């Protein structure tokens, strides 16, 4: 794992094209990364096993979209820490994610 800071936008619910309801997005903070995962800080609990879309925006301006599974969640004093395992998904930036992690090593 490599310490890294970024803003993570976590999609809790996709937009509904029928009703026009907007997506439900939670803004979180990236704590560290690995080639196959990430650890984030957030203000609410998630359900372990949930598969969610995540978008990380780094200080450099680079934005990467990935798909991950909540592997674990634990409460801290006034927030939660969650560990995600990332999927190899054709619709994501997983290759760029792995290159970013490799560059940090």
């Amino acid at each position: 794992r490599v310490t890294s800071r970024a803003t993570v936008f976590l999609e809790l619910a996709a937009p509904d094209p029928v009703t026009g309801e907007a997506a439900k997005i939670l803004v979180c903070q990236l704590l560290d990364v690995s080639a196959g995962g990430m650890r984030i800080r957030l203000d609410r609990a998630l359900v372990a096993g949930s598969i969610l879309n995540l978008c990380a925006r780094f200080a450099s301006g680079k934005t990467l979209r990935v798909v991950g599974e909540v592997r674990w969640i634990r409460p801290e004093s006034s927030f939660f820490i969650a560990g995600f395992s990332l999927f190899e998904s054709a619709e994501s930036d997983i290759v760029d994610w792995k290159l970013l992690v490799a560059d940090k090593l």
Side-chain angles (χ1 to χ4, degrees):
R1 291 208 165 269
V2 178
T3 299
S4 187
R5 298 287 184 240
T7 300
V8 176
F9 301 92
L10 181 63
E11 186 179 65
L12 298 175
D16 188 328
V18 175
T19 66
E21 187 174 341
K24 293 181 182 159
I25 306 292
L26 182 62
V27 180
C28 313
Q29 180 183 2
L30 182 66
L31 299 174
D32 60 44
V33 298
S34 68
M38 71 171 78
R39 195 169 58 103
I40 63 171
R41 176 183 169 161
L42 59 161
D43 65 1
R44 69 173 70 171
L46 299 173
V47 176
S50 298
I51 297 172
L52 302 167
N53 291 312
L54 302 105
C55 178
R57 183 177 299 149
F58 296 87
S60 66
K62 187 172 194 93
T63 300
L64 298 175
R65 297 177 188 278
V66 292
V67 178
E69 177 183 1
V70 180
R71 300 296 290 173
W72 55 267
I73 183 92
R74 78 170 181 256
E76 294 291 329
S77 57
S78 61
F79 55 89
F80 294 86
I81 303 291
F84 280 82
S85 175
L86 302 180
F87 292 120
E88 300 281 337
S89 173
E91 299 293 320
S92 74
D93 297 321
I94 191 66
V95 172
D96 289 334
W97 181 271
K98 290 180 180 187
L99 291 172
L100 176 112
V101 172
D103 286 344
K104 290 184 176 288
L105 296 177

